[in-house]
Amino acid sequence: MASHEDSGDGEAEPDSDLRNFGATVKAFRKRAELTQEQLAERVRYSVQYVGSVEQGRRHPSVKFVNRSEEALDAFGVILIAANRLNRKRGLAKWFTRWAELEDVAVALNTYECRSIPGLLQTEAYGRAQIDNVPPLATSAEAEARIAARADRQKLLHRTPYIAFSFIIEQAVIERQTGGPDVTREQIDHLLECAKLPNVDIQIMPTIQPFHAGTDGPFQLLETDDNEWLGYSEGQQSGLVISCPKDISLLHQRYAKLRIQALNPADSVGLLMRMRGSL
C-alpha cells in the first residue's frame, strides 16, 4: 500500500488535546511563578521547546513530561494530561506526529516490505504510488504530497547527520512500481543514497527462510534527548509506540533483520545487478 508519510510536517498543527496539555503546563508554571526560561533550565530543554509545548504545537517527550511533573509539583495532573495524548496516538493527524519526531531524530531505523520508504523515493516513484492507490488524488493534492515528501528528504543531508538504516525487501523493487524506467531511476537513486556517509541500505533477499519481519513494517527512532520511539503503519492508520517493553521487542526484531538482510556492500551489488537486468 502507499504510505501516508508524505503528509507530515515539521511541527504539528494545534489540536484540542495538545492545546489542553500546553495550557496545563503553562498553568502549573505560572502557579510556580516561573518564566519559560526558568522552566526550560529546570527540565533541561530549550526555551523554544517549552514555548512550542505550551502553545500546543509540539508533542512532549516522555522525559519532558516527567521532568515537568517533578519540577512543577503538579500532583500528577501533567502525567494524566500526557496519558490522554498517548491514548489518541494513531487517530487524526497521526503521521504529523511521527514527522515531528523525525525532525528531532538523531537515528532512524526503517524496515519496509510494501514500498520504497518515502525518504528514499524518487519523484517519479512517488507519483506512481499516488496514481495507483484509490481514491485518486487531485492534481493539487498530488503536488502537495510530492512537495511534502521532497521536504522530508532534506533530512538525509542535514547536519549534524542523522544516522539512517533502511532494510528493504527485494520484492518491493522487483515489483517495478511505475514500470521499468521508473524502477531504473529508483535503483539509481538508492545507489546514490547508499553513498551518503550517514545512510545504510540493506536489501532483504526474496528467498530468506529466517525472517524476523513477518509481522510487517516498522520504524525505530532516537530523539535528540535520546528517547527511543517506534512507529507502525497500516491501512489509513498509524501508531507511535512509546512503551519501553514494546520498544525493546522492536529493537530485537530490527537487530535480527540486520543480520538476515544482505550487508550494505552486498546490497549495492544486488541493486546493480537488478539495474542491469531491466
Side-chain angles (χ1 to χ4, degrees), residues 251-263:
H251 273 298
Q252 293 176 50
R253 292 181 181 177
Y254 201 81
K256 277 288 188 181
L257 287 167
R258 269 185 158 163
I259 296 171
Q260 294 162 348
L262 298 177
N263 65 42

Side-chain angles (χ1 to χ4, degrees), residues 141-233:
E141 289 170 340
E143 292 305 318
R145 294 180 191 179
I146 292 297
R149 188 171 301 172
D151 188 61
R152 287 180 54 237
Q153 290 175 351
K154 295 176 183 177
L155 293 172
L156 294 172
H157 306 279
R158 192 179 71 188
T159 55
Y161 283 131
I162 300 171
F164 288 98
S165 168
F166 298 95
I167 301 173
I168 307 168
E169 292 287 338
Q170 180 179 348
V172 166
I173 304 168
E174 293 176 331
R175 187 178 302 135
Q176 296 189 26
T177 297
D181 290 341
V182 171
T183 303
R184 274 190 289 268
E185 181 188 30
Q186 180 62 66
I187 293 176
D188 288 342
H189 184 63
L190 290 175
L191 291 170
E192 287 301 311
C193 289
K195 295 177 182 178
L196 295 173
N198 58 320
V199 176
D200 285 334
I201 296 177
Q202 294 179 253
I203 303 300
M204 180 68 74
T206 300
I207 299 176
Q208 173 51 280
F210 306 101
H211 198 308
T214 53
D215 275 1
F218 64 93
Q219 297 185 64
L220 282 163
L221 178 150
E222 183 182 8
T223 68
D224 55 358
D225 61 346
N226 305 119
E227 176 187 3
W228 280 96
L229 297 165
Y231 179 71
S232 178
E233 184 180 83

Side-chain angles (χ1 to χ4, degrees), residues 45-220:
Y45 278 81
S46 69
V47 176
Q48 292 77 12
Y49 191 104
V50 172
S52 291
V53 170
E54 289 192 356
Q55 293 164 21
R57 299 193 63 85
R58 184 167 199 144
H59 289 265
S61 70
V62 173
K63 288 182 180 179
F64 179 86
V65 170
N66 291 334
R67 291 172 185 174
S68 297
E69 173 68 35
E70 181 178 358
L72 299 175
D73 192 20
F75 312 106
V77 176
I78 289 178
L79 295 177
I80 293 171
N83 286 337
R84 178 174 175 81
L85 287 178
N86 290 335
R87 285 198 301 270
K88 285 199 67 181
R89 284 180 173 179
L91 301 179
K93 302 178 182 177
W94 43 267
F95 190 77
T96 303
R97 301 185 179 193
W98 187 251
E100 178 195 355
L101 292 168
E102 283 184 336
D103 201 47
V104 295
V106 298
L108 179 61
N109 300 336
T110 300
Y111 165 64
E112 186 54 77
C113 58
R114 306 162 305 174
S115 62
I116 301 296
L119 288 170
L120 299 177
Q121 290 179 12
T122 63
E123 180 178 335
Y125 185 96
R127 289 187 185 279
Q129 276 202 306
I130 293 169
D131 291 342
N132 283 337
V133 181
L136 298 182
T138 65
S139 177
E141 289 170 340
E143 292 305 318
R145 294 180 191 179
I146 292 297
R149 188 171 301 172
D151 188 61
R152 287 180 54 237
Q153 290 175 351
K154 295 176 183 177
L155 293 172
L156 294 172
H157 306 279
R158 192 179 71 188
T159 55
Y161 283 131
I162 300 171
F164 288 98
S165 168
F166 298 95
I167 301 173
I168 307 168
E169 292 287 338
Q170 180 179 348
V172 166
I173 304 168
E174 293 176 331
R175 187 178 302 135
Q176 296 189 26
T177 297
D181 290 341
V182 171
T183 303
R184 274 190 289 268
E185 181 188 30
Q186 180 62 66
I187 293 176
D188 288 342
H189 184 63
L190 290 175
L191 291 170
E192 287 301 311
C193 289
K195 295 177 182 178
L196 295 173
N198 58 320
V199 176
D200 285 334
I201 296 177
Q202 294 179 253
I203 303 300
M204 180 68 74
T206 300
I207 299 176
Q208 173 51 280
F210 306 101
H211 198 308
T214 53
D215 275 1
F218 64 93
Q219 297 185 64
L220 282 163

Side-chain angles (χ1 to χ4, degrees), residues 223-252:
T223 68
D224 55 358
D225 61 346
N226 305 119
E227 176 187 3
W228 280 96
L229 297 165
Y231 179 71
S232 178
E233 184 180 83
Q235 293 277 353
Q236 297 297 105
S237 64
L239 176 67
V240 176
I241 302 165
S242 59
C243 171
K245 183 177 180 180
D246 293 337
I247 296 298
S248 175
L249 181 151
L250 292 180
H251 273 298
Q252 293 176 50

